Amino acid sequence: MKFTRLLNRSSRSKSTIESPTGKEYLQSNLKQNIQRVKEALGNSSDIIFREVSLSPSGAQVMGLLYTDGLADQKIINDFVAESVMMDLTDQPQNPLSPSDMFQRLKDFALTIGGIKEFTDFDTLYNSILSGEAVILLDEYDKGVAVSVQGWKDRGVNEPSTESVVRGPHEGFSETLRTNTALVRRKIKDPNLWLESRQIGRVTKTEVAIMFIKGVASDEVIEEVRVRLDRIDIDGILESGYIEELIQDETYTPFPTIKNSERPDVIAAELLEGKVAILVDGTPFVLVVPALFVSFIHAAEDYYQRADISTLVRILRYIGIFITLLFPSLYIAITTFHQEMLPTPLVLGLAAQREGVPIPAFIEALMMEVAFEVLREAGLRMPRVIGPAVSVVGTLVIGQAAVEAGIVSAAMVIVVAVTAISSFIFPSYNMSNTFRMLRLPMMGLAASFGLFGIFVGVIAILLHLCSLRSFGVPYMSPFAPMIALDQKDAIFRFPRWAMFSRPRLISQKNVTRGQKSPSQKPEPRK
């Protein structure tokens, strides 16, 4: 057995050439190259190998390799195999040399775009497994990879997590090229640059960086490149892998990288000078740097009138305080500060809690956990019955708990209002953040009353002001205070007044247009 392994190893070393770096190069023998590919890919049944004779005598042979399901069979038959056969078989009396035939193959025979030349097996494997067709010639040690990708994808559908009433209803898919095309449809500028790289030793996932040259900060672009090139992992299956590996701060509940599945949102972020990171296999595109206000703004804010968008934003900020502090304030006031409430309200709450045997904190904690369990169960259930079960379960459990004397009716109202307010966030990540912070705030309120709430809020604000996203302060334009950027923070100024990009993000090209921004539209007389 040992002698057999040594014999196989020696025969393999003769059929391939290894460089000092360990890279294996193609041989001039076509059959040896095909056999090496079969051994490396385990004779997989979805890898198609075809040998085609290019001369009547059969002296010149071409090999065609591709992956069934990733490559488009129609493109291969119509634009690769047929074109090659018609061109290379129409030769003069004297047959071409392998090098001349290879050059003719690249220049004339292949009528399809996306052709690249290679000499090593690593590039060959990557090309085949990426959906490209590989052409090898006998008696020649180079190959050609042709772009013939044609796998099935989900297509362009409406985003499921960022729905709008007014605005585009198209969302990203799991195909990288489809996603880049959707962004280029929005921004038809030659300065929109795209850089690609492969990340993952096993998956070799295609990751693209997209930015507008001259608008995005060179420092941020270089930092994105450095952090992506520093990733050393066996596989990338979703953009969440990238997000965890390149974020500034690990131990924080607040997201420092934004994600979206809407092309219009990504286009708007690029126009502000940010950098988009697209990952093949996921419809969620990452955007850096991401600020706190970015997670509060929605795409529809820029499609409605300024006054309506401002009102909705104010409601969102009110929703933040309700989501974070409403249960804590109820616990603190009913436990320590009853004198802050009117006497009739205090008597009503006392009457409701007369038969409740547990403290307000335990009561609120039980209701919060029950609601979160129902919420997660509704998400994991089939879509047909998920919403119905979560709604019915909430009503039944809440009513039964009140009638059984486990919780008071006021606590059910507090938890319900808090849960509804948590759905007002456009970003699901930020909603999860305040759901997590709500529990320690309830503990502080139960222990120290309003003093504990004030300490918790101050700690959260200090933590927010210490965060940075790719070098940009997380709380800008509030901290540091930038008066010019307040036009698109809490309030949304009219379009004619939003003439400059965020100052800390885009520091080179800060003006959105050439026309003087100080002139607002004048009404007709």
Side-chain angles (χ1 to χ4, degrees):
M1 181 67 68
K2 184 176 181 180
F3 175 76
T4 304
R5 289 199 299 266
L6 293 174
L7 183 61
N8 292 336
R9 186 180 303 172
S10 63
S11 62
R12 180 179 299 176
S13 63
K14 293 179 181 178
S15 62
T16 58
I17 299 178
E18 286 194 13
S19 67
T21 59
K23 183 180 292 186
E24 296 182 357
Y25 289 94
L26 297 174
Q27 295 294 295
S28 57
N29 190 302
L30 177 62
K31 291 188 178 297
Q32 289 183 358
N33 291 333
I34 293 180
Q35 183 62 31
R36 180 72 184 93
V37 174
K38 289 182 178 180
E39 292 177 358
L41 300 180
N43 289 314
S44 301
S45 59
D46 60 338
I47 308 298
I48 308 301
F49 302 89
R50 289 183 58 188
E51 294 186 21
V52 182
S53 177
L54 300 178
S55 61
S57 62
Q60 295 174 322
V61 182
M62 178 190 77
L64 179 62
L65 296 73
Y66 61 92
T67 302
D68 188 17
L70 296 182
D72 193 324
Q73 294 270 7
K74 183 175 177 56
I75 296 178
I76 293 176
N77 295 331
D78 296 345
F79 298 99
V80 178
E82 184 176 349
S83 300
V84 170
M85 293 297 297
M86 291 180 62
D87 188 275
L88 294 185
T89 55
D90 186 16
Q91 300 175 11
Q93 295 296 328
N94 297 325
L96 298 174
S97 64
S99 60
D100 294 338
M101 182 176 293
F102 185 80
Q103 194 65 34
R104 184 181 179 90
L105 175 71
K106 291 197 308 176
D107 297 341
F108 304 104
L110 294 174
T111 60
I112 192 172
I115 298 175
K116 65 180 179 181
E117 181 181 332
F118 63 91
T119 59
D120 59 280
F121 279 98
D122 289 340
T123 307
L124 186 149
Y125 302 146
N126 187 38
S127 299
I128 294 177
L129 298 176
S130 298
E132 298 177 339
V134 169
I135 297 177
L136 303 175
L137 292 180
D138 194 16
E139 300 181 1
Y140 200 66
D141 57 355
K142 291 183 180 180
V144 175
V146 186
S147 297
V148 292
Q149 289 91 340
W151 53 74
K152 301 295 182 182
D153 59 359
R154 184 169 54 93
V156 180
N157 298 322
E158 184 175 356
S160 58
T161 59
E162 298 174 85
S163 58
V164 296
V165 177
R166 180 177 181 179
H169 288 263
E170 60 183 8
F172 290 121
S173 68
E174 285 74 15
T175 306
L176 179 63
R177 281 294 162 259
T178 302
N179 297 341
T180 57
L182 288 172
V183 178
R184 287 200 179 274
R185 280 184 57 197
K186 305 287 184 184
I187 304 176
K188 304 177 182 66
D189 187 69
N191 291 320
L192 180 61
W193 289 10
L194 183 69
E195 299 179 3
S196 298
R197 52 185 31 84
Q198 287 185 343
I199 300 179
R201 294 183 177 181
V202 179
T203 60
K204 292 180 171 57
T205 306
E206 194 79 12
V207 177
I209 303 173
M210 184 173 281
F211 58 90
I212 300 179
K213 184 65 175 179
V215 176
S217 172
D218 294 334
E219 290 79 9
V220 174
I221 297 172
E222 184 60 29
E223 184 66 23
V224 173
R225 292 175 182 148
V226 170
R227 295 191 188 186
L228 289 179
D229 294 337
R230 200 167 52 200
I231 296 176
D232 185 10
I233 193 173
D234 58 351
I236 299 293
L237 301 180
E238 214 275 336
S239 59
Y241 288 51
I242 301 289
E243 180 178 353
E244 284 193 59
L245 293 171
I246 68 173
Q247 61 185 355
D248 290 66
E249 184 69 33
T250 302
Y251 302 104
T252 177
F254 292 94
T256 56
I257 297 177
K258 184 179 179 180
N259 65 78
S260 176
E261 56 176 337
R262 295 183 58 89
D264 56 327
V265 172
I266 300 302
E269 300 283 8
L270 291 174
L271 290 172
E272 287 193 348
K274 299 181 181 180
V275 180
I277 303 174
L278 299 91
V279 182
D280 190 24
T282 176
F284 290 91
V285 177
L286 305 179
V287 177
V288 295
L291 310 180
F292 179 82
V293 294
S294 302
F295 298 94
I296 309 301
H297 299 169
E300 200 170 3
D301 293 349
Y302 303 95
Y303 306 143
Q304 301 283 357
R305 285 169 34 198
D307 51 354
I308 298 176
S309 300
T310 300
L311 174 61
V312 174
R313 284 187 181 179
I314 293 174
L315 290 177
R316 291 197 194 110
Y317 282 99
I318 295 175
I320 291 176
F321 290 100
I322 294 177
T323 303
L324 180 64
L325 301 177
F326 197 24
S328 305
L329 290 173
Y330 176 82
I331 294 172
I333 291 175
T334 56
T335 306
F336 295 99
H337 312 284
Q338 297 90 347
E339 67 278 1
M340 296 181 62
L341 298 177
T343 303
L345 181 58
V346 172
L347 294 177
L349 294 176
Q352 293 180 16
R353 290 193 48 80
E354 184 178 0
V356 178
I358 55 179
F361 171 69
I362 303 299
E363 181 185 2
L365 188 63
M366 290 173 51
M367 292 299 298
E368 289 287 347
V369 171
F371 180 81
E372 294 298 333
V373 169
L374 288 172
R375 181 177 180 175
E376 289 298 319
L379 292 175
R380 305 292 176 259
M381 286 183 181
R383 294 187 177 183
V384 179
I385 63 174
V389 170
S390 60
V391 172
V392 173
T394 304
L395 293 175
V396 171
I397 292 177
Q399 184 65 27
V402 172
E403 292 181 357
I406 300 176
V407 296
S408 61
M411 180 59 71
V412 174
I413 296 174
V414 169
V415 173
V417 172
T418 305
I420 294 173
S421 299
S422 65
F423 289 104
I424 201 171
F425 296 96
S427 174
Y428 185 71
N429 290 351
M430 189 60 72
S431 175
N432 290 336
T433 297
F434 286 103
R435 287 165 59 190
M436 288 190 297
L437 292 176
R438 187 163 63 231
L439 298 179
M441 291 298 296
M442 290 165 51
L444 290 173
S447 303
F448 306 102
L450 291 178
F451 177 76
I453 294 178
F454 292 148
V455 171
V457 170
I458 292 174
I460 292 174
L461 290 177
L462 291 176
H463 177 69
L464 284 171
C465 293
S466 68
L467 295 178
R468 301 179 80 87
S469 178
F470 283 78
V472 179
Y474 191 62
M475 288 302 293
S476 61
F478 303 126
M481 185 67 178
I482 303 176
L484 190 61
D485 290 349
Q486 299 301 319
K487 61 185 181 300
D488 192 23
I490 297 178
F491 304 97
R492 209 275 275 177
F493 282 25
R495 182 66 59 184
W496 53 265
M498 299 172 60
F499 56 86
S500 62
R501 296 184 176 91
R503 188 59 58 91
L504 292 181
I505 296 177
S506 179
Q507 301 177 359
K508 294 185 298 183
N509 187 357
V510 298
T511 304
R512 295 182 183 269
Q514 299 297 328
K515 187 178 179 180
S516 176
S518 61
Q519 300 296 326
K520 65 179 181 179
E522 295 292 340
R524 289 186 177 181
K525 296 182 179 180

